[in-house]
Amino acid sequence: MRIWGLVAAMVFVASGAFAGQAPVAYRLTPVVERGALSALAVEMRFVGDADGVTDLELPSSWAEGEKLWRLVDHLTVDGARLDPGGEAVRLLRHGSRAAITVRYRLAITGETDPGRDHAKGEPVVRPAWFMAHGEGLFAAPAGRQGDPATFAWGARPKGWTLVSDLDHLAGRTGKVSEIIDSVVVGGTQVTRVNAKVAGAPLRVAVIGQWPASAQAVTDMAARIMTAENALWRDRGQPFLITVTPLGEAKGGGSSSTGTGKSDAFAIESTTNVDLTRDPHFLAHEYMHTWLPNQTGGLPLEDEARDYWFSEGFTDFYATRVLLASGIWSLEDYAARYNEVLTRYDGSAARNFTADQVMAVFWTNQDAQQSPYDRGRLLALTWDRAVRTASGGRLSLDDVMRRQRDAVRAGAKGYGAALFPGTLRALAPGIDVEADLARHVTGGETVWLESGVFGPCLALARKSVPVFDRGFDGAKSGQTGIISGVDPAGPAYAAGLRDGMKRLSREGGKEGDSRVEIGYRVAGPDGVPSLIKYLPAGKTTFDLQAVSVVPGLSGEQRAACVADLAGR
């Protein structure tokens, strides 16, 4: 049951659209009563538009969160008349450039951890802690994303720690868009670690207890960030990592999601996840500092159409950085690409057109993953093509740095739209538009060519059975009860039945039918048992596979690492 309560965001806003006026100033104050969070006190001040009518934009739809305005409660206005009705946009009528005060509340969503199905666009507010993305928290006058803005916390409750990437605005003026593209956390059990990366502050704020300490997460993140700054030839900048709990997944499963901001990333995860065991997750999120944030960004509508660029390229570079930094070996690098290729080649959405992907993107896991894998494999292909065309002088890294520099110099256009022209300027013979038409728009399979990984990794193709879990894995993981067992599938043949309690999963590799998977379950008598089987379906598909060439000398391995790392 959803328990409604009170969240308030204290927001002072003054338009910078008119010369001489103060910047938009946001203030956020948590209110703790009798030891528990009851509200974030809310106030919003700004100068109305010159024509006497201002549209106030409330949080709307973002990152699986729909109709976020529905959480806004007790909206009141001084200095203007609030027209009745309206949802995401509320109409204010007032005198020309009037001083306006808006107050509102956001509803608390419950007193227990949000769970693995939480829509990350929605604020999470609990008696002892809170986390919210700016997109789901802050309102703003319409059309003022580029206006100057400041941020400050209000009074800090005794015993509470408050952290946000907006703290980076302390003592200076940013933009309204920075306020919206933010994350805020606070609570009584926040562990905060401070470090330096390339001379700039790195802060890690972790709520609750996790397998890896906040210090271990910080150390891993600092190593990755150092390598990524080197890739982009950039100086360090203030950065924040937040880690907040989704709770324990039922049946021993796990779930993690990350959201990259321009100067932060927010991790939401079940608390059984060791965040240092998969550095690719951290590398991916920090790479969003540049991709797509500093290379053109994403469109406001249907942004997932450009995920081949923003997410696929980010995956490609995260893998490259982990190899370059020495965190991963050649074997680790090959293993990750084998995971990607197994998932991609065996995906039910492998040949979805872009329109088909978009039609089911938020409800179909295969469709959601498709742009990531297509973009990663296309980036790998184009990187080798640029190297070949330039006689080894250039790589995709040079293309991306040039696009970053062009955007900083004022180039207009979203990242995915800017990329083909940027690459063409450095390697005219590569027809990026044709590749995109075939593989992204049309859904044609990306078959990698021999040599795309250089001389140290061999590429082969083999026929393997499709991955068939034999039951509804997603629903069973959510409920902790086995359901949807196919009587003709491998799970049923091994003894798995609907209604068994799912205790844990042991072994197996998601998407790989060649690796035995096991489920520890309990039947009606409550006695636990372990059921193992090969999750192999009755049909097959062609799988691309990578392996490290045996017998490489140390010098050859070093040369191959340098090549694959883009050096």
Side-chain angles (χ1 to χ4, degrees), residues 16 44 56 59 64 75 95 159-160 166 252 254 267 285 338 415 426 429 433 444 457 490 507 558 563:
M44 183 176 184
L56 180 69
E64 303 171 14
L75 177 63
W160 277 63
L166 295 175
S254 63
I267 299 171
E285 295 303 333
N338 280 327
L426 289 179
E433 287 89 347
E444 185 177 325
L457 296 185
D563 173 63

Side-chain angles (χ1 to χ4, degrees), residues 81-239:
R81 185 177 76 253
L82 175 64
D83 277 9
E87 295 177 338
V89 179
R90 306 303 302 272
L91 188 65
L92 308 180
R93 299 186 185 276
H94 49 80
S96 177
R97 301 182 183 177
I100 299 172
T101 301
V102 173
R103 297 179 177 87
Y104 67 89
R105 301 172 179 177
L106 298 177
I108 290 178
T109 53
E111 296 188 1
T112 59
D113 289 340
R116 64 190 297 174
D117 295 325
H118 168 67
K120 64 182 177 182
E122 293 194 7
V124 179
V125 182
R126 300 294 179 262
W129 65 277
F130 68 88
M131 186 284 292
H133 296 279
E135 291 88 347
L137 177 62
F138 293 122
R144 301 189 186 177
Q145 291 279 320
D147 277 14
T150 61
F151 174 83
W153 292 101
R156 297 172 183 260
K158 184 177 181 180
W160 277 63
T161 300
L162 309 177
V163 185
S164 172
D165 55 327
L166 295 175
D167 298 333
H168 304 155
L169 295 179
R172 71 175 183 88
T173 300
K175 295 181 179 180
V176 171
S177 58
E178 293 180 69
I179 304 297
I180 303 301
D181 181 34
S182 66
V183 59
V184 296
V185 300
T188 57
Q189 296 183 349
V190 179
T191 301
R192 184 172 57 193
V193 178
N194 297 323
K196 290 280 188 180
V197 174
L202 164 65
R203 296 177 302 149
V204 175
V206 178
I207 295 179
Q209 299 298 314
W210 301 76
S213 69
Q215 185 64 59
V217 174
T218 303
D219 292 343
M220 177 64 75
R223 191 173 175 185
I224 290 168
M225 292 167 65
T226 298
E228 294 194 8
N229 283 325
L231 167 72
W232 289 94
R233 299 175 185 170
D234 256 342
R235 294 176 298 176
Q237 64 173 357
F239 203 79

Side-chain angles (χ1 to χ4, degrees), residues 413-444:
Y414 296 117
L418 289 173
F419 173 73
T422 308
L423 188 145
R424 191 185 309 112
L426 289 179
I430 302 173
D431 194 345
V432 175
E433 287 89 347
D435 289 340
L436 290 172
R438 291 170 56 201
H439 302 297
V440 175
T441 305
E444 185 177 325

Side-chain angles (χ1 to χ4, degrees), residues 5-22:
L6 170 67
V7 180
M10 182 176 281
V11 186
F12 300 103
V13 181
S15 173
F18 310 111
Q21 290 186 349

Side-chain angles (χ1 to χ4, degrees), residues 394-405:
L394 303 173
S395 72
L396 191 64
D397 303 359
D398 298 283
V399 177
M400 300 314 301
R401 286 192 289 260
R402 173 175 284 204
Q403 183 161 324
R404 183 270 319 272
D405 293 344

Side-chain angles (χ1 to χ4, degrees), residues 21 47 58 61 128 183 316 331 408:
Q21 290 186 349
V47 174
L58 303 178
S61 297
V183 59
F316 167 77
E331 286 74 16
R408 286 180 176 176

Side-chain angles (χ1 to χ4, degrees), residues 23 42 148 287 351 370 375 442 532 535:
V42 178
M287 190 61 68
N351 297 122
S370 176
K532 293 183 176 183

